[in-house]
Amino acid sequence: MDPTHPYFPNGLNMLNDDFDLSGPAETGAGPSGSGATPTSRTKSKRLTSDVWQCFDVVEMTLPDGTVGPRAKCKFCLKNYTTTKGGTGHLRRHMQKCMPKHIHVPNTTQTQLQRHPDGSVTTWHYDAAHARECLARYIAQTDQPINFGDCVFFQEFITSAFCPQMQIVSRTTTRNDLIKMFKTQRDDLTAELQHLTVSIALTSDIWNACSKQDYLCVIGHYLDSECRIQKKILGFRPMDFAHTADNIFAVILSVLETYDITHRILSITLDNASANTKSIALFTERNIPQAGGYFFHQRCACHIINLVVQSGLKKVSNRIERIRDAISWIGSSNPRFQEFGRHCTLNGLRPRRFQTDMPVRWNSTYLMLKNCLEYDTTISGFYNMKLAESGCPPAQSLTPDDWYVAKIFVEFLQVFYNATVTLSGVYYPTSSQAIHQIVEMSDMLNTYREDDLLGDAVVAMETKFKKYWSEMPFLYALGVIVDPRIKLAGLEYLLEFTGNKLSIDYSEQITDIRNKLFEVFSIYERRFGGIHTEPSPEPDRQPLPTSWSILKRRKKDKSASSSSSTTRSAASSGAELNRFLEAQFDADENTENFDLLLWWKTYSYRYPVLSHLARDILVIPVSTVSSEQAFSTSGRIIEPRRNCLTPEMVEVLICIRDWEHARKRMQNETVDEQFIQNFSNLYVDEGSGSNQVQN
């Protein structure tokens, strides 16, 4: 408040002249009938409050018809009572009225805010914005909802950053999170409604520590910049049995929330029988698009897990001895300290070893991989202790055990890389699936006759053929729409795989070609009249690891005849035929090739085929994205927070995912913390060097 304002020449805290709230002094004739004798009512009351500098005391007719004093505002001219109850009501009016009529300068020092573009503006504390940022931070980093109610957090903020910061209660934060969730969900709904491409789904079920099951539904689509987006659409409780009807009902409720039931191209699920049966219910509702050719996709990473687990059973006895050894070494602190000294004597850094989890084959792979460097040290120490305790030699570790472990790690490296590659988020995985199948089939063929791994490889090959002896149509189209491969390249890749695993893919190639033209005719009816403008030339990306096989195709004389069979009898696929008959060159644009950007660039040349290509390239071949959501859920619904309602769990899960999507931070194809649990276990300080610390 301006102390020099004309209404306050002496400052707001200066007292007014004395006011008399009792009206004019009463006079009366004394006994002598002369002079004014003041009575008890003539005693005036001194007005000491500073609010009276904003009010005038005036005589007005009161509601009861009498005349009495009223407090009249000097700014808005409203009048209020002047009673013995105090001046609180006058002060409240003054605080609201004065800023509207007089300028009150800010006496605090101005704070500047620098923007990313280099501009500088005055910064003002906004309590509502601070609450919104706090709620977003809580969701982004899995903090408890009462995080803002902590006095130590407030002390930290007010002391180091913003003195105006106020404590935010748990209830307020909860309401802010719900409001943020609804706002972002409405924005996502509007975005999905304006898409020109289809939406692919992944879904899975998870059991929380609170004994509550949840079903997660994730949407994958291309945005206006032709970038793959992944958004959690729903994280709903499953309060009933995991039947096909119930799974269908929950997923359908999520789709109806966003009004996208007519936009679903595919749904990727694991191999549970209830998931397979639920597909028929979607088909009855005519939800699948593109003739339903791509609608049901089995999780490729789940199939790889089944393949590897079948092999692990065959070598479990040798792996079990290694597991027992490292578990025994780490089960006692004095024993582990002695093992550490043994490592130092052998020129190795002392370290711990994490045992695997049987349900996760990649944990077995990581356990063996991190033990191999210490094989001699572990065997020497473990066998020495067994001999000292009188245990039979049959329990000792042998060189054959470590040989099997070493070869099996090299063997599993291909399957591990395939799992990581097919778990990607921001690049097409449907175009990578056959390349990984080629790599795995080549590895199975290489070790089929190995004396120690032969039984394991045969078991894995049997499981492999169970799921992939018939190549999924999506995988085939994923490489056909690659301009470096097309249909001729697909034929060669399937021929190579078939020779390695004794599978005849020749009839499937004909079936794939026919389905390709059928699907194209569906897209031609839908997008035949659309024309687009040319785009800038695309960048390049690294080649698939199986590209050397395609290069050898150019030298294969038998491949020349396959190109002549590319043209279909269908007369409506002129655009598709033109694409397939273009010259195949495995060396063209092979460095840093961006497949999605290529189709965006050449959509003017292939307007219909570009829509088909972009739709199938966005379909994920695994449900790992859903499993990543469950990893996040495990941090949110931890034992100390299992009282969260299912509705609040969905709010926190979705906001966290959407915020990470905004910053393109969802590409966690592997659990980094999970890997660190096996690799970063050195007991001395350092980052992993094998040098002995002096």
Side-chain angles (χ1 to χ4, degrees), residues 102-132:
I102 64 174
H103 173 66
V104 182
N106 187 0
T107 58
T108 61
Q109 183 178 358
T110 301
Q111 299 182 18
L112 300 180
Q113 179 181 14
R114 182 179 295 275
H115 298 280
D117 59 0
S119 60
V120 178
T121 59
T122 303
W123 179 84
H124 299 284
Y125 174 73
D126 186 340
H129 180 66
R131 282 170 39 196
E132 178 184 352

PDB file of all heavy atoms in Angstrom, residues 102-132:
ATOM      1  N   ILE A 102      -6.682   1.639  -5.660  1.00  0.00           N
ATOM      2  CA  ILE A 102      -5.407   2.341  -5.546  1.00  0.00           C
ATOM      3  C   ILE A 102      -4.281   1.404  -5.955  1.00  0.00           C
ATOM      4  O   ILE A 102      -4.414   0.177  -5.897  1.00  0.00           O
ATOM      5  CB  ILE A 102      -5.162   2.857  -4.106  1.00  0.00           C
ATOM      6  CG1 ILE A 102      -5.038   1.688  -3.125  1.00  0.00           C
ATOM      7  CG2 ILE A 102      -6.235   3.826  -3.687  1.00  0.00           C
ATOM      8  CD1 ILE A 102      -4.653   2.122  -1.740  1.00  0.00           C
ATOM      9  N   HIS A 103      -3.191   1.947  -6.401  1.00  0.00           N
ATOM     10  CA  HIS A 103      -2.019   1.169  -6.802  1.00  0.00           C
ATOM     11  C   HIS A 103      -1.163   0.880  -5.585  1.00  0.00           C
ATOM     12  O   HIS A 103      -0.780   1.792  -4.851  1.00  0.00           O
ATOM     13  CB  HIS A 103      -1.201   1.944  -7.831  1.00  0.00           C
ATOM     14  CG  HIS A 103       0.104   1.265  -8.165  1.00  0.00           C
ATOM     15  ND1 HIS A 103       0.165   0.048  -8.810  1.00  0.00           N
ATOM     16  CD2 HIS A 103       1.396   1.643  -7.916  1.00  0.00           C
ATOM     17  CE1 HIS A 103       1.426  -0.305  -8.965  1.00  0.00           C
ATOM     18  NE2 HIS A 103       2.191   0.644  -8.426  1.00  0.00           N
ATOM     19  N   VAL A 104      -0.894  -0.443  -5.371  1.00  0.00           N
ATOM     20  CA  VAL A 104      -0.055  -0.870  -4.250  1.00  0.00           C
ATOM     21  C   VAL A 104       1.215  -1.469  -4.822  1.00  0.00           C
ATOM     22  O   VAL A 104       1.208  -2.594  -5.319  1.00  0.00           O
ATOM     23  CB  VAL A 104      -0.782  -1.896  -3.362  1.00  0.00           C
ATOM     24  CG1 VAL A 104       0.100  -2.281  -2.178  1.00  0.00           C
ATOM     25  CG2 VAL A 104      -2.107  -1.339  -2.889  1.00  0.00           C
ATOM     26  N   PRO A 105       2.309  -0.730  -4.832  1.00  0.00           N
ATOM     27  CA  PRO A 105       3.543  -1.251  -5.433  1.00  0.00           C
ATOM     28  C   PRO A 105       4.128  -2.396  -4.627  1.00  0.00           C
ATOM     29  O   PRO A 105       3.925  -2.487  -3.423  1.00  0.00           O
ATOM     30  CB  PRO A 105       4.468  -0.031  -5.427  1.00  0.00           C
ATOM     31  CG  PRO A 105       3.992   0.797  -4.275  1.00  0.00           C
ATOM     32  CD  PRO A 105       2.497   0.624  -4.242  1.00  0.00           C
ATOM     33  N   ASN A 106       4.855  -3.306  -5.355  1.00  0.00           N
ATOM     34  CA  ASN A 106       5.540  -4.431  -4.721  1.00  0.00           C
ATOM     35  C   ASN A 106       6.863  -3.940  -4.155  1.00  0.00           C
ATOM     36  O   ASN A 106       7.727  -3.463  -4.876  1.00  0.00           O
ATOM     37  CB  ASN A 106       5.782  -5.536  -5.747  1.00  0.00           C
ATOM     38  CG  ASN A 106       6.329  -6.796  -5.102  1.00  0.00           C
ATOM     39  OD1 ASN A 106       6.526  -6.836  -3.896  1.00  0.00           O
ATOM     40  ND2 ASN A 106       6.547  -7.813  -5.923  1.00  0.00           N
ATOM     41  N   THR A 107       6.993  -4.062  -2.844  1.00  0.00           N
ATOM     42  CA  THR A 107       8.193  -3.543  -2.183  1.00  0.00           C
ATOM     43  C   THR A 107       9.310  -4.579  -2.110  1.00  0.00           C
ATOM     44  O   THR A 107      10.389  -4.273  -1.625  1.00  0.00           O
ATOM     45  CB  THR A 107       7.855  -3.073  -0.757  1.00  0.00           C
ATOM     46  OG1 THR A 107       7.304  -4.180  -0.030  1.00  0.00           O
ATOM     47  CG2 THR A 107       6.837  -1.934  -0.796  1.00  0.00           C
ATOM     48  N   THR A 108       9.041  -5.842  -2.595  1.00  0.00           N
ATOM     49  CA  THR A 108      10.092  -6.855  -2.569  1.00  0.00           C
ATOM     50  C   THR A 108      10.962  -6.730  -3.811  1.00  0.00           C
ATOM     51  O   THR A 108      10.575  -6.142  -4.814  1.00  0.00           O
ATOM     52  CB  THR A 108       9.479  -8.266  -2.531  1.00  0.00           C
ATOM     53  OG1 THR A 108       8.693  -8.453  -3.710  1.00  0.00           O
ATOM     54  CG2 THR A 108       8.592  -8.435  -1.301  1.00  0.00           C
ATOM     55  N   GLN A 109      12.159  -7.307  -3.729  1.00  0.00           N
ATOM     56  CA  GLN A 109      13.077  -7.242  -4.849  1.00  0.00           C
ATOM     57  C   GLN A 109      12.575  -8.093  -6.011  1.00  0.00           C
ATOM     58  O   GLN A 109      12.096  -9.199  -5.846  1.00  0.00           O
ATOM     59  CB  GLN A 109      14.463  -7.741  -4.423  1.00  0.00           C
ATOM     60  CG  GLN A 109      15.513  -7.643  -5.528  1.00  0.00           C
ATOM     61  CD  GLN A 109      16.874  -8.098  -5.052  1.00  0.00           C
ATOM     62  OE1 GLN A 109      17.020  -8.453  -3.893  1.00  0.00           O
ATOM     63  NE2 GLN A 109      17.842  -8.087  -5.935  1.00  0.00           N
ATOM     64  N   THR A 110      12.651  -7.560  -7.214  1.00  0.00           N
ATOM     65  CA  THR A 110      12.189  -8.262  -8.404  1.00  0.00           C
ATOM     66  C   THR A 110      13.081  -9.467  -8.695  1.00  0.00           C
ATOM     67  O   THR A 110      14.299  -9.385  -8.611  1.00  0.00           O
ATOM     68  CB  THR A 110      12.188  -7.322  -9.614  1.00  0.00           C
ATOM     69  OG1 THR A 110      11.334  -6.211  -9.329  1.00  0.00           O
ATOM     70  CG2 THR A 110      11.679  -8.037 -10.849  1.00  0.00           C
ATOM     71  N   GLN A 111      12.434 -10.623  -9.051  1.00  0.00           N
ATOM     72  CA  GLN A 111      13.164 -11.824  -9.418  1.00  0.00           C
ATOM     73  C   GLN A 111      12.963 -12.071 -10.907  1.00  0.00           C
ATOM     74  O   GLN A 111      11.858 -11.933 -11.426  1.00  0.00           O
ATOM     75  CB  GLN A 111      12.665 -13.029  -8.619  1.00  0.00           C
ATOM     76  CG  GLN A 111      12.860 -12.852  -7.112  1.00  0.00           C
ATOM     77  CD  GLN A 111      12.414 -14.073  -6.342  1.00  0.00           C
ATOM     78  OE1 GLN A 111      12.277 -15.151  -6.911  1.00  0.00           O
ATOM     79  NE2 GLN A 111      12.199 -13.920  -5.057  1.00  0.00           N
ATOM     80  N   LEU A 112      14.039 -12.419 -11.575  1.00  0.00           N
ATOM     81  CA  LEU A 112      13.999 -12.613 -13.014  1.00  0.00           C
ATOM     82  C   LEU A 112      13.976 -14.099 -13.353  1.00  0.00           C
ATOM     83  O   LEU A 112      14.524 -14.926 -12.624  1.00  0.00           O
ATOM     84  CB  LEU A 112      15.209 -11.952 -13.681  1.00  0.00           C
ATOM     85  CG  LEU A 112      15.342 -10.443 -13.469  1.00  0.00           C
ATOM     86  CD1 LEU A 112      16.575  -9.924 -14.177  1.00  0.00           C
ATOM     87  CD2 LEU A 112      14.097  -9.705 -13.950  1.00  0.00           C
ATOM     88  N   GLN A 113      13.335 -14.410 -14.463  1.00  0.00           N
ATOM     89  CA  GLN A 113      13.233 -15.776 -14.944  1.00  0.00           C
ATOM     90  C   GLN A 113      13.748 -15.831 -16.372  1.00  0.00           C
ATOM     91  O   GLN A 113      13.281 -15.090 -17.229  1.00  0.00           O
ATOM     92  CB  GLN A 113      11.780 -16.259 -14.891  1.00  0.00           C
ATOM     93  CG  GLN A 113      11.583 -17.675 -15.395  1.00  0.00           C
ATOM     94  CD  GLN A 113      10.129 -18.097 -15.332  1.00  0.00           C
ATOM     95  OE1 GLN A 113       9.247 -17.267 -15.154  1.00  0.00           O
ATOM     96  NE2 GLN A 113       9.886 -19.373 -15.475  1.00  0.00           N
ATOM     97  N   ARG A 114      14.709 -16.714 -16.629  1.00  0.00           N
ATOM     98  CA  ARG A 114      15.272 -16.861 -17.965  1.00  0.00           C
ATOM     99  C   ARG A 114      14.600 -18.042 -18.660  1.00  0.00           C
ATOM    100  O   ARG A 114      14.501 -19.131 -18.119  1.00  0.00           O
ATOM    101  CB  ARG A 114      16.781 -17.093 -17.895  1.00  0.00           C
ATOM    102  CG  ARG A 114      17.441 -17.197 -19.276  1.00  0.00           C
ATOM    103  CD  ARG A 114      18.930 -17.409 -19.145  1.00  0.00           C
ATOM    104  NE  ARG A 114      19.575 -16.269 -18.534  1.00  0.00           N
ATOM    105  CZ  ARG A 114      19.978 -15.195 -19.198  1.00  0.00           C
ATOM    106  NH1 ARG A 114      19.773 -15.130 -20.508  1.00  0.00           N
ATOM    107  NH2 ARG A 114      20.563 -14.193 -18.583  1.00  0.00           N
ATOM    108  N   HIS A 115      14.151 -17.809 -19.896  1.00  0.00           N
ATOM    109  CA  HIS A 115      13.457 -18.825 -20.670  1.00  0.00           C
ATOM    110  C   HIS A 115      14.434 -19.534 -21.600  1.00  0.00           C
ATOM    111  O   HIS A 115      15.524 -19.023 -21.885  1.00  0.00           O
ATOM    112  CB  HIS A 115      12.320 -18.181 -21.471  1.00  0.00           C
ATOM    113  CG  HIS A 115      11.277 -17.541 -20.603  1.00  0.00           C
ATOM    114  ND1 HIS A 115      10.287 -18.258 -19.975  1.00  0.00           N
ATOM    115  CD2 HIS A 115      11.084 -16.244 -20.245  1.00  0.00           C
ATOM    116  CE1 HIS A 115       9.523 -17.437 -19.283  1.00  0.00           C
ATOM    117  NE2 HIS A 115       9.979 -16.211 -19.427  1.00  0.00           N
ATOM    118  N   PRO A 116      14.048 -20.719 -22.091  1.00  0.00           N
ATOM    119  CA  PRO A 116      14.958 -21.460 -22.994  1.00  0.00           C
ATOM    120  C   PRO A 116      15.361 -20.681 -24.233  1.00  0.00           C
ATOM    121  O   PRO A 116      16.435 -20.916 -24.789  1.00  0.00           O
ATOM    122  CB  PRO A 116      14.133 -22.708 -23.353  1.00  0.00           C
ATOM    123  CG  PRO A 116      13.205 -22.892 -22.202  1.00  0.00           C
ATOM    124  CD  PRO A 116      12.860 -21.515 -21.739  1.00  0.00           C
ATOM    125  N   ASP A 117      14.497 -19.779 -24.700  1.00  0.00           N
ATOM    126  CA  ASP A 117      14.841 -19.018 -25.901  1.00  0.00           C
ATOM    127  C   ASP A 117      15.763 -17.838 -25.619  1.00  0.00           C
ATOM    128  O   ASP A 117      16.093 -17.073 -26.523  1.00  0.00           O
ATOM    129  CB  ASP A 117      13.569 -18.520 -26.589  1.00  0.00           C
ATOM    130  CG  ASP A 117      12.733 -17.621 -25.673  1.00  0.00           C
ATOM    131  OD1 ASP A 117      13.154 -17.406 -24.513  1.00  0.00           O
ATOM    132  OD2 ASP A 117      11.673 -17.139 -26.123  1.00  0.00           O
ATOM    133  N   GLY A 118      16.172 -17.662 -24.349  1.00  0.00           N
ATOM    134  CA  GLY A 118      17.085 -16.582 -23.993  1.00  0.00           C
ATOM    135  C   GLY A 118      16.413 -15.346 -23.449  1.00  0.00           C
ATOM    136  O   GLY A 118      17.084 -14.459 -22.914  1.00  0.00           O
ATOM    137  N   SER A 119      15.087 -15.265 -23.566  1.00  0.00           N
ATOM    138  CA  SER A 119      14.381 -14.089 -23.055  1.00  0.00           C
ATOM    139  C   SER A 119      14.311 -14.125 -21.535  1.00  0.00           C
ATOM    140  O   SER A 119      14.410 -15.185 -20.911  1.00  0.00           O
ATOM    141  CB  SER A 119      12.972 -14.030 -23.643  1.00  0.00           C
ATOM    142  OG  SER A 119      12.229 -15.197 -23.281  1.00  0.00           O
ATOM    143  N   VAL A 120      14.131 -12.944 -20.950  1.00  0.00           N
ATOM    144  CA  VAL A 120      14.088 -12.796 -19.499  1.00  0.00           C
ATOM    145  C   VAL A 120      12.813 -12.053 -19.125  1.00  0.00           C
ATOM    146  O   VAL A 120      12.493 -11.013 -19.713  1.00  0.00           O
ATOM    147  CB  VAL A 120      15.317 -12.035 -18.970  1.00  0.00           C
ATOM    148  CG1 VAL A 120      15.230 -11.859 -17.455  1.00  0.00           C
ATOM    149  CG2 VAL A 120      16.595 -12.784 -19.329  1.00  0.00           C
ATOM    150  N   THR A 121      12.074 -12.576 -18.176  1.00  0.00           N
ATOM    151  CA  THR A 121      10.865 -11.927 -17.694  1.00  0.00           C
ATOM    152  C   THR A 121      10.877 -11.915 -16.170  1.00  0.00           C
ATOM    153  O   THR A 121      11.689 -12.598 -15.532  1.00  0.00           O
ATOM    154  CB  THR A 121       9.608 -12.661 -18.182  1.00  0.00           C
ATOM    155  OG1 THR A 121       9.652 -14.022 -17.716  1.00  0.00           O
ATOM    156  CG2 THR A 121       9.518 -12.636 -19.700  1.00  0.00           C
ATOM    157  N   THR A 122       9.975 -11.156 -15.610  1.00  0.00           N
ATOM    158  CA  THR A 122       9.840 -11.103 -14.149  1.00  0.00           C
ATOM    159  C   THR A 122       9.133 -12.352 -13.657  1.00  0.00           C
ATOM    160  O   THR A 122       8.112 -12.760 -14.215  1.00  0.00           O
ATOM    161  CB  THR A 122       9.045  -9.862 -13.732  1.00  0.00           C
ATOM    162  OG1 THR A 122       9.694  -8.705 -14.239  1.00  0.00           O
ATOM    163  CG2 THR A 122       8.964  -9.767 -12.216  1.00  0.00           C
ATOM    164  N   TRP A 123       9.684 -12.967 -12.629  1.00  0.00           N
ATOM    165  CA  TRP A 123       9.100 -14.182 -12.078  1.00  0.00           C
ATOM    166  C   TRP A 123       8.228 -13.842 -10.884  1.00  0.00           C
ATOM    167  O   TRP A 123       8.598 -13.045 -10.026  1.00  0.00           O
ATOM    168  CB  TRP A 123      10.192 -15.144 -11.637  1.00  0.00           C
ATOM    169  CG  TRP A 123       9.643 -16.411 -11.023  1.00  0.00           C
ATOM    170  CD1 TRP A 123       9.234 -17.519 -11.673  1.00  0.00           C
ATOM    171  CD2 TRP A 123       9.453 -16.677  -9.621  1.00  0.00           C
ATOM    172  NE1 TRP A 123       8.801 -18.479 -10.784  1.00  0.00           N
ATOM    173  CE2 TRP A 123       8.919 -17.976  -9.519  1.00  0.00           C
ATOM    174  CE3 TRP A 123       9.672 -15.942  -8.456  1.00  0.00           C
ATOM    175  CZ2 TRP A 123       8.611 -18.568  -8.300  1.00  0.00           C
ATOM    176  CZ3 TRP A 123       9.362 -16.527  -7.237  1.00  0.00           C
ATOM    177  CH2 TRP A 123       8.848 -17.827  -7.163  1.00  0.00           C
ATOM    178  N   HIS A 124       7.050 -14.430 -10.862  1.00  0.00           N
ATOM    179  CA  HIS A 124       6.127 -14.260  -9.744  1.00  0.00           C
ATOM    180  C   HIS A 124       5.736 -15.634  -9.223  1.00  0.00           C
ATOM    181  O   HIS A 124       5.498 -16.562 -10.009  1.00  0.00           O
ATOM    182  CB  HIS A 124       4.870 -13.492 -10.175  1.00  0.00           C
ATOM    183  CG  HIS A 124       5.147 -12.108 -10.673  1.00  0.00           C
ATOM    184  ND1 HIS A 124       5.434 -11.053  -9.843  1.00  0.00           N
ATOM    185  CD2 HIS A 124       5.185 -11.624 -11.941  1.00  0.00           C
ATOM    186  CE1 HIS A 124       5.637  -9.965 -10.562  1.00  0.00           C
ATOM    187  NE2 HIS A 124       5.499 -10.284 -11.846  1.00  0.00           N
ATOM    188  N   TYR A 125       5.664 -15.767  -7.938  1.00  0.00           N
ATOM    189  CA  TYR A 125       5.259 -17.034  -7.336  1.00  0.00           C
ATOM    190  C   TYR A 125       3.774 -17.264  -7.564  1.00  0.00           C
ATOM    191  O   TYR A 125       2.945 -16.395  -7.281  1.00  0.00           O
ATOM    192  CB  TYR A 125       5.563 -17.042  -5.842  1.00  0.00           C
ATOM    193  CG  TYR A 125       5.045 -18.277  -5.131  1.00  0.00           C
ATOM    194  CD1 TYR A 125       5.665 -19.511  -5.318  1.00  0.00           C
ATOM    195  CD2 TYR A 125       3.930 -18.201  -4.293  1.00  0.00           C
ATOM    196  CE1 TYR A 125       5.201 -20.639  -4.677  1.00  0.00           C
ATOM    197  CE2 TYR A 125       3.455 -19.333  -3.643  1.00  0.00           C
ATOM    198  CZ  TYR A 125       4.091 -20.550  -3.847  1.00  0.00           C
ATOM    199  OH  TYR A 125       3.629 -21.664  -3.216  1.00  0.00           O
ATOM    200  N   ASP A 126       3.437 -18.433  -8.087  1.00  0.00           N
ATOM    201  CA  ASP A 126       2.053 -18.809  -8.352  1.00  0.00           C
ATOM    202  C   ASP A 126       1.774 -20.086  -7.580  1.00  0.00           C
ATOM    203  O   ASP A 126       2.279 -21.163  -7.924  1.00  0.00           O
ATOM    204  CB  ASP A 126       1.839 -19.025  -9.849  1.00  0.00           C
ATOM    205  CG  ASP A 126       0.378 -19.272 -10.201  1.00  0.00           C
ATOM    206  OD1 ASP A 126      -0.398 -19.643  -9.303  1.00  0.00           O
ATOM    207  OD2 ASP A 126       0.015 -19.092 -11.381  1.00  0.00           O
ATOM    208  N   ALA A 127       0.972 -19.987  -6.532  1.00  0.00           N
ATOM    209  CA  ALA A 127       0.723 -21.136  -5.667  1.00  0.00           C
ATOM    210  C   ALA A 127       0.035 -22.267  -6.426  1.00  0.00           C
ATOM    211  O   ALA A 127       0.354 -23.451  -6.235  1.00  0.00           O
ATOM    212  CB  ALA A 127      -0.121 -20.724  -4.468  1.00  0.00           C
ATOM    213  N   ALA A 128      -0.898 -21.947  -7.323  1.00  0.00           N
ATOM    214  CA  ALA A 128      -1.603 -22.986  -8.080  1.00  0.00           C
ATOM    215  C   ALA A 128      -0.650 -23.718  -9.018  1.00  0.00           C
ATOM    216  O   ALA A 128      -0.699 -24.944  -9.144  1.00  0.00           O
ATOM    217  CB  ALA A 128      -2.752 -22.355  -8.867  1.00  0.00           C
ATOM    218  N   HIS A 129       0.236 -22.950  -9.662  1.00  0.00           N
ATOM    219  CA  HIS A 129       1.216 -23.578 -10.554  1.00  0.00           C
ATOM    220  C   HIS A 129       2.192 -24.435  -9.756  1.00  0.00           C
ATOM    221  O   HIS A 129       2.612 -25.511 -10.217  1.00  0.00           O
ATOM    222  CB  HIS A 129       1.960 -22.501 -11.325  1.00  0.00           C
ATOM    223  CG  HIS A 129       2.990 -23.032 -12.272  1.00  0.00           C
ATOM    224  ND1 HIS A 129       2.664 -23.777 -13.393  1.00  0.00           N
ATOM    225  CD2 HIS A 129       4.356 -22.950 -12.262  1.00  0.00           C
ATOM    226  CE1 HIS A 129       3.766 -24.117 -14.030  1.00  0.00           C
ATOM    227  NE2 HIS A 129       4.799 -23.642 -13.369  1.00  0.00           N
ATOM    228  N   ALA A 130       2.562 -23.990  -8.565  1.00  0.00           N
ATOM    229  CA  ALA A 130       3.476 -24.765  -7.722  1.00  0.00           C
ATOM    230  C   ALA A 130       2.840 -26.092  -7.323  1.00  0.00           C
ATOM    231  O   ALA A 130       3.508 -27.137  -7.308  1.00  0.00           O
ATOM    232  CB  ALA A 130       3.854 -23.956  -6.488  1.00  0.00           C
ATOM    233  N   ARG A 131       1.553 -26.076  -7.010  1.00  0.00           N
ATOM    234  CA  ARG A 131       0.863 -27.317  -6.663  1.00  0.00           C
ATOM    235  C   ARG A 131       0.803 -28.264  -7.855  1.00  0.00           C
ATOM    236  O   ARG A 131       0.984 -29.474  -7.709  1.00  0.00           O
ATOM    237  CB  ARG A 131      -0.548 -26.998  -6.180  1.00  0.00           C
ATOM    238  CG  ARG A 131      -0.627 -26.486  -4.756  1.00  0.00           C
ATOM    239  CD  ARG A 131      -1.999 -25.954  -4.430  1.00  0.00           C
ATOM    240  NE  ARG A 131      -3.064 -26.756  -5.012  1.00  0.00           N
ATOM    241  CZ  ARG A 131      -4.329 -26.336  -5.130  1.00  0.00           C
ATOM    242  NH1 ARG A 131      -4.648 -25.116  -4.724  1.00  0.00           N
ATOM    243  NH2 ARG A 131      -5.232 -27.120  -5.651  1.00  0.00           N
ATOM    244  N   GLU A 132       0.553 -27.729  -9.039  1.00  0.00           N
ATOM    245  CA  GLU A 132       0.503 -28.558 -10.236  1.00  0.00           C
ATOM    246  C   GLU A 132       1.859 -29.215 -10.511  1.00  0.00           C
ATOM    247  O   GLU A 132       1.937 -30.408 -10.821  1.00  0.00           O
ATOM    248  CB  GLU A 132       0.075 -27.720 -11.435  1.00  0.00           C
ATOM    249  CG  GLU A 132       0.030 -28.492 -12.742  1.00  0.00           C
ATOM    250  CD  GLU A 132      -0.313 -27.615 -13.927  1.00  0.00           C
ATOM    251  OE1 GLU A 132      -0.663 -26.439 -13.711  1.00  0.00           O
ATOM    252  OE2 GLU A 132      -0.207 -28.095 -15.074  1.00  0.00           O
TER     253      GLU A 132
END
